[in-house]
PDB file of all heavy atoms in Angstrom:
ATOM      1  N   LEU A   4     164.492 116.106 147.658  1.00  0.00           N
ATOM      2  CA  LEU A   4     163.790 114.823 147.633  1.00  0.00           C
ATOM      3  C   LEU A   4     162.459 114.946 148.364  1.00  0.00           C
ATOM      4  O   LEU A   4     162.394 115.428 149.494  1.00  0.00           O
ATOM      5  CB  LEU A   4     164.660 113.753 148.312  1.00  0.00           C
ATOM      6  CG  LEU A   4     164.111 112.319 148.241  1.00  0.00           C
ATOM      7  CD1 LEU A   4     164.022 111.870 146.787  1.00  0.00           C
ATOM      8  CD2 LEU A   4     164.982 111.383 149.074  1.00  0.00           C
ATOM      9  N   ALA A   6     160.016 116.848 147.453  1.00  0.00           N
ATOM     10  CA  ALA A   6     159.352 118.121 147.160  1.00  0.00           C
ATOM     11  C   ALA A   6     158.469 117.966 145.919  1.00  0.00           C
ATOM     12  O   ALA A   6     158.731 117.147 145.052  1.00  0.00           O
ATOM     13  CB  ALA A   6     160.396 119.208 146.954  1.00  0.00           C
ATOM     14  N   THR A  19     136.033 132.832 120.216  1.00  0.00           N
ATOM     15  CA  THR A  19     135.411 134.086 119.816  1.00  0.00           C
ATOM     16  C   THR A  19     133.966 133.835 119.417  1.00  0.00           C
ATOM     17  O   THR A  19     133.529 132.691 119.260  1.00  0.00           O
ATOM     18  CB  THR A  19     136.171 134.696 118.641  1.00  0.00           C
ATOM     19  OG1 THR A  19     136.071 133.781 117.527  1.00  0.00           O
ATOM     20  CG2 THR A  19     137.637 134.916 118.983  1.00  0.00           C
ATOM     21  N   ALA A  22     133.889 131.980 116.161  1.00  0.00           N
ATOM     22  CA  ALA A  22     134.193 130.554 116.306  1.00  0.00           C
ATOM     23  C   ALA A  22     132.996 129.802 116.886  1.00  0.00           C
ATOM     24  O   ALA A  22     132.682 128.688 116.473  1.00  0.00           O
ATOM     25  CB  ALA A  22     135.421 130.377 117.188  1.00  0.00           C
ATOM     26  N   GLY A  27     128.387 126.189 116.051  1.00  0.00           N
ATOM     27  CA  GLY A  27     126.948 125.931 116.056  1.00  0.00           C
ATOM     28  C   GLY A  27     126.443 125.503 114.692  1.00  0.00           C
ATOM     29  O   GLY A  27     125.619 124.590 114.573  1.00  0.00           O
ATOM     30  N   ALA A  39     118.982 113.152 107.765  1.00  0.00           N
ATOM     31  CA  ALA A  39     118.789 112.690 106.390  1.00  0.00           C
ATOM     32  C   ALA A  39     119.238 111.252 106.228  1.00  0.00           C
ATOM     33  O   ALA A  39     118.595 110.440 105.559  1.00  0.00           O
ATOM     34  CB  ALA A  39     119.547 113.599 105.424  1.00  0.00           C
ATOM     35  N   ASP A  45     116.068 104.255 107.182  1.00  0.00           N
ATOM     36  CA  ASP A  45     114.876 103.690 107.782  1.00  0.00           C
ATOM     37  C   ASP A  45     113.911 103.153 106.742  1.00  0.00           C
ATOM     38  O   ASP A  45     112.805 102.766 107.060  1.00  0.00           O
ATOM     39  CB  ASP A  45     114.168 104.730 108.656  1.00  0.00           C
ATOM     40  CG  ASP A  45     113.265 104.074 109.690  1.00  0.00           C
ATOM     41  OD1 ASP A  45     113.646 103.006 110.201  1.00  0.00           O
ATOM     42  OD2 ASP A  45     112.176 104.600 109.941  1.00  0.00           O
ATOM     43  N   ASN A  61      86.908  81.237 109.064  1.00  0.00           N
ATOM     44  CA  ASN A  61      87.078  80.982 110.494  1.00  0.00           C
ATOM     45  C   ASN A  61      88.437  80.349 110.796  1.00  0.00           C
ATOM     46  O   ASN A  61      88.567  79.522 111.698  1.00  0.00           O
ATOM     47  CB  ASN A  61      85.944  80.086 111.026  1.00  0.00           C
ATOM     48  CG  ASN A  61      84.595  80.759 110.937  1.00  0.00           C
ATOM     49  OD1 ASN A  61      84.478  81.968 111.105  1.00  0.00           O
ATOM     50  ND2 ASN A  61      83.568  79.983 110.646  1.00  0.00           N
ATOM     51  N   THR A  63      90.188  78.170 109.183  1.00  0.00           N
ATOM     52  CA  THR A  63      90.297  76.734 108.913  1.00  0.00           C
ATOM     53  C   THR A  63      91.281  76.500 107.764  1.00  0.00           C
ATOM     54  O   THR A  63      91.834  77.438 107.196  1.00  0.00           O
ATOM     55  CB  THR A  63      88.919  76.162 108.541  1.00  0.00           C
ATOM     56  OG1 THR A  63      88.404  76.895 107.417  1.00  0.00           O
ATOM     57  CG2 THR A  63      87.949  76.301 109.714  1.00  0.00           C
ATOM     58  N   GLY A  85     116.675 106.009  98.677  1.00  0.00           N
ATOM     59  CA  GLY A  85     116.400 104.994  99.687  1.00  0.00           C
ATOM     60  C   GLY A  85     115.153 104.185  99.405  1.00  0.00           C
ATOM     61  O   GLY A  85     114.788 103.315 100.185  1.00  0.00           O
ATOM     62  N   ILE A  95     103.253  80.719  97.489  1.00  0.00           N
ATOM     63  CA  ILE A  95     103.333  79.357  98.013  1.00  0.00           C
ATOM     64  C   ILE A  95     101.937  78.735  97.933  1.00  0.00           C
ATOM     65  O   ILE A  95     100.989  79.248  98.532  1.00  0.00           O
ATOM     66  CB  ILE A  95     103.843  79.327  99.467  1.00  0.00           C
ATOM     67  CG1 ILE A  95     105.148  80.129  99.583  1.00  0.00           C
ATOM     68  CG2 ILE A  95     104.031  77.902  99.936  1.00  0.00           C
ATOM     69  CD1 ILE A  95     106.285  79.609  98.751  1.00  0.00           C
ATOM     70  N   ILE A  96     101.826  77.631  97.205  1.00  0.00           N
ATOM     71  CA  ILE A  96     100.521  77.037  96.919  1.00  0.00           C
ATOM     72  C   ILE A  96     100.464  75.623  97.491  1.00  0.00           C
ATOM     73  O   ILE A  96     101.411  74.847  97.345  1.00  0.00           O
ATOM     74  CB  ILE A  96     100.260  77.000  95.398  1.00  0.00           C
ATOM     75  CG1 ILE A  96     100.352  78.424  94.819  1.00  0.00           C
ATOM     76  CG2 ILE A  96      98.892  76.401  95.082  1.00  0.00           C
ATOM     77  CD1 ILE A  96     100.356  78.470  93.315  1.00  0.00           C
ATOM     78  N   SER A 107     107.474  85.394  90.465  1.00  0.00           N
ATOM     79  CA  SER A 107     107.240  86.404  89.432  1.00  0.00           C
ATOM     80  C   SER A 107     108.046  87.652  89.760  1.00  0.00           C
ATOM     81  O   SER A 107     108.149  88.060  90.921  1.00  0.00           O
ATOM     82  CB  SER A 107     105.750  86.743  89.335  1.00  0.00           C
ATOM     83  OG  SER A 107     105.245  87.187  90.580  1.00  0.00           O
ATOM     84  N   THR A 114     108.715 101.522  95.274  1.00  0.00           N
ATOM     85  CA  THR A 114     108.044 101.281  96.552  1.00  0.00           C
ATOM     86  C   THR A 114     106.529 101.235  96.395  1.00  0.00           C
ATOM     87  O   THR A 114     105.860 100.389  96.997  1.00  0.00           O
ATOM     88  CB  THR A 114     108.426 102.378  97.570  1.00  0.00           C
ATOM     89  OG1 THR A 114     109.853 102.428  97.697  1.00  0.00           O
ATOM     90  CG2 THR A 114     107.828 102.095  98.937  1.00  0.00           C
ATOM     91  N   ASN A 129      90.498  86.198 103.033  1.00  0.00           N
ATOM     92  CA  ASN A 129      91.136  85.118 103.786  1.00  0.00           C
ATOM     93  C   ASN A 129      92.597  85.400 104.117  1.00  0.00           C
ATOM     94  O   ASN A 129      93.323  84.494 104.532  1.00  0.00           O
ATOM     95  CB  ASN A 129      91.008  83.781 103.037  1.00  0.00           C
ATOM     96  CG  ASN A 129      91.590  83.857 101.640  1.00  0.00           C
ATOM     97  OD1 ASN A 129      91.991  84.919 101.183  1.00  0.00           O
ATOM     98  ND2 ASN A 129      91.611  82.730 100.957  1.00  0.00           N
ATOM     99  N   ALA A 130      93.048  86.629 103.952  1.00  0.00           N
ATOM    100  CA  ALA A 130      94.391  87.022 104.400  1.00  0.00           C
ATOM    101  C   ALA A 130      94.309  87.341 105.888  1.00  0.00           C
ATOM    102  O   ALA A 130      93.524  88.195 106.305  1.00  0.00           O
ATOM    103  CB  ALA A 130      94.885  88.234 103.623  1.00  0.00           C
ATOM    104  N   LEU A 133     100.290  89.312 108.519  1.00  0.00           N
ATOM    105  CA  LEU A 133     101.366  89.934 107.756  1.00  0.00           C
ATOM    106  C   LEU A 133     102.648  89.758 108.545  1.00  0.00           C
ATOM    107  O   LEU A 133     102.707  90.067 109.736  1.00  0.00           O
ATOM    108  CB  LEU A 133     101.094  91.410 107.486  1.00  0.00           C
ATOM    109  CG  LEU A 133     102.138  92.068 106.577  1.00  0.00           C
ATOM    110  CD1 LEU A 133     101.472  92.915 105.506  1.00  0.00           C
ATOM    111  CD2 LEU A 133     103.114  92.923 107.388  1.00  0.00           C
ATOM    112  N   ARG A 143     105.188  89.363 113.286  1.00  0.00           N
ATOM    113  CA  ARG A 143     103.939  88.925 112.653  1.00  0.00           C
ATOM    114  C   ARG A 143     102.789  89.694 113.292  1.00  0.00           C
ATOM    115  O   ARG A 143     102.677  89.766 114.510  1.00  0.00           O
ATOM    116  CB  ARG A 143     103.750  87.414 112.815  1.00  0.00           C
ATOM    117  CG  ARG A 143     102.431  86.917 112.236  1.00  0.00           C
ATOM    118  CD  ARG A 143     102.262  85.423 112.414  1.00  0.00           C
ATOM    119  NE  ARG A 143     102.950  84.675 111.363  1.00  0.00           N
ATOM    120  CZ  ARG A 143     104.087  84.009 111.541  1.00  0.00           C
ATOM    121  NH1 ARG A 143     104.677  84.006 112.744  1.00  0.00           N
ATOM    122  NH2 ARG A 143     104.649  83.343 110.550  1.00  0.00           N
ATOM    123  N   GLU A 155      94.648  95.649 107.736  1.00  0.00           N
ATOM    124  CA  GLU A 155      95.773  95.730 106.795  1.00  0.00           C
ATOM    125  C   GLU A 155      96.186  97.169 106.480  1.00  0.00           C
ATOM    126  O   GLU A 155      97.375  97.444 106.264  1.00  0.00           O
ATOM    127  CB  GLU A 155      95.472  94.975 105.492  1.00  0.00           C
ATOM    128  CG  GLU A 155      94.333  95.539 104.671  1.00  0.00           C
ATOM    129  CD  GLU A 155      92.992  94.958 105.045  1.00  0.00           C
ATOM    130  OE1 GLU A 155      92.930  94.190 106.030  1.00  0.00           O
ATOM    131  OE2 GLU A 155      92.004  95.274 104.364  1.00  0.00           O
ATOM    132  N   PHE A 163     105.349 100.515 105.936  1.00  0.00           N
ATOM    133  CA  PHE A 163     105.939 101.218 104.801  1.00  0.00           C
ATOM    134  C   PHE A 163     106.433 102.608 105.169  1.00  0.00           C
ATOM    135  O   PHE A 163     107.223 103.188 104.428  1.00  0.00           O
ATOM    136  CB  PHE A 163     104.946 101.285 103.637  1.00  0.00           C
ATOM    137  CG  PHE A 163     104.979 100.060 102.767  1.00  0.00           C
ATOM    138  CD1 PHE A 163     104.400  98.877 103.188  1.00  0.00           C
ATOM    139  CD2 PHE A 163     105.619 100.087 101.541  1.00  0.00           C
ATOM    140  CE1 PHE A 163     104.447  97.737 102.402  1.00  0.00           C
ATOM    141  CE2 PHE A 163     105.674  98.959 100.740  1.00  0.00           C
ATOM    142  CZ  PHE A 163     105.085  97.766 101.176  1.00  0.00           C
ATOM    143  N   PRO A 183      96.102 104.862 108.436  1.00  0.00           N
ATOM    144  CA  PRO A 183      96.029 103.863 107.359  1.00  0.00           C
ATOM    145  C   PRO A 183      96.814 104.306 106.135  1.00  0.00           C
ATOM    146  O   PRO A 183      96.915 105.497 105.830  1.00  0.00           O
ATOM    147  CB  PRO A 183      94.531 103.766 107.060  1.00  0.00           C
ATOM    148  CG  PRO A 183      93.946 105.026 107.591  1.00  0.00           C
ATOM    149  CD  PRO A 183      94.783 105.431 108.756  1.00  0.00           C
ATOM    150  N   ALA A 211      69.750 126.656  93.080  1.00  0.00           N
ATOM    151  CA  ALA A 211      70.746 127.704  92.853  1.00  0.00           C
ATOM    152  C   ALA A 211      70.751 128.121  91.391  1.00  0.00           C
ATOM    153  O   ALA A 211      70.845 129.299  91.064  1.00  0.00           O
ATOM    154  CB  ALA A 211      72.130 127.222  93.278  1.00  0.00           C
ATOM    155  N   ALA A 212      70.587 127.161  90.464  1.00  0.00           N
ATOM    156  CA  ALA A 212      70.553 127.490  89.051  1.00  0.00           C
ATOM    157  C   ALA A 212      69.317 128.291  88.709  1.00  0.00           C
ATOM    158  O   ALA A 212      69.359 129.241  87.897  1.00  0.00           O
ATOM    159  CB  ALA A 212      70.601 126.197  88.243  1.00  0.00           C
TER     160      ALA A 212
END
Side-chain angles (χ1 to χ4, degrees):
L4 186 62
T19 63
D45 202 36
N61 295 325
T63 56
I95 308 299
I96 303 170
S107 57
T114 304
N129 57 354
L133 185 134
R143 177 180 277 106
E155 64 271 6
F163 275 76

